[in-house]
Amino acid sequence: MKDIFHLQDSNLCSSTTCQHHFWLSKCARTIPGGVANLNYPSFVVVFDSRTRVRTLTRTVSKVSARPESYNVTVCRIESMDICTFTVAAPDWVKVTVTRTTLDFKRVNEERSYTVQFNSETGAKVRPAGTWDFGHIVWENRKHRVRSPVAFKWDN
């Protein structure tokens, strides 16, 4: 399958070789915001007794030559039978994607988007160590780029 987006770990390393994990000794020892801020296509969202909201940013680069736009739509799993959704999350997590369209005109052009995950007040209490799953999909008429999301509750 041909790559549509390319993600880089710019938070970790400054040298190209380090970005490809060859010279880890030259990388930063800590990641601002923790490992959830790694610029990977997947998301891990951990909620605990102190944190009900997690906001994560991803930067993607266009790797194909043709101009394209990608869209994302947020829908709740509970209403998935009446919604063509590209974001799926447990009913007790509200997901907000800021920048719902990514427009690319040329190769290597970068776009960033932010996703806010909110464990809603009054939602059923999840036992500590519980995992739930969802996804975010960026799509157009020709391509679908899917990012899995893992949610963990550490109450």
Side-chain angles (χ1 to χ4, degrees):
M1 180 175 182
K2 186 176 178 182
D3 286 338
I4 306 302
F5 292 143
H6 174 71
L7 294 117
Q8 297 177 345
D9 289 329
S10 57
N11 288 344
L12 275 180
C13 311
S14 58
S15 72
T16 303
T17 54
C18 185
Q19 287 180 1
H20 295 289
H21 306 290
F22 294 115
W23 299 106
L24 294 178
S25 61
K26 294 183 182 180
C27 293
R29 295 285 180 217
T30 59
I31 301 163
V35 294
N37 261 352
L38 283 172
N39 195 36
Y40 285 164
S42 60
F43 294 86
V44 176
V45 181
V46 179
F47 296 114
D48 58 30
S49 59
R50 297 167 297 163
T51 307
R52 298 180 76 64
V53 177
R54 294 282 184 195
T55 303
L56 302 172
T57 299
R58 297 294 188 263
T59 299
V60 295
S61 298
K62 180 77 165 79
V63 296
S64 62
R66 300 181 61 195
E68 290 184 300
S69 292
Y70 292 84
N71 297 298
V72 67
T73 304
V74 176
C75 241
R76 297 301 197 112
I77 288 178
E78 64 194 14
S79 60
M80 64 190 246
D81 56 334
I82 58 170
C83 182
T84 303
F85 64 92
T86 55
V87 173
D91 294 338
W92 43 89
V93 177
K94 180 181 178 188
V95 179
T96 305
V97 180
T98 301
R99 193 173 207 170
T100 57
T101 300
L102 300 175
D103 291 313
F104 296 96
K105 294 185 178 32
R106 57 190 179 280
V107 174
N108 296 324
E109 191 171 17
E110 291 185 350
R111 295 287 179 256
S112 295
Y113 65 96
T114 301
V115 185
Q116 184 178 73
F117 302 95
N118 188 341
S119 178
E120 295 186 324
T121 305
K124 72 178 178 180
V125 176
R126 307 292 292 154
T130 299
W131 287 88
D132 287 302
F133 302 93
H135 63 261
I136 297 172
V137 177
W138 290 92
E139 61 187 343
N140 61 23
R141 291 182 190 159
K142 195 172 183 179
H143 300 107
R144 289 177 54 91
V145 181
R146 187 176 186 271
S147 294
V149 182
F151 300 93
K152 184 179 183 197
W153 278 262
D154 281 342
N155 298 331

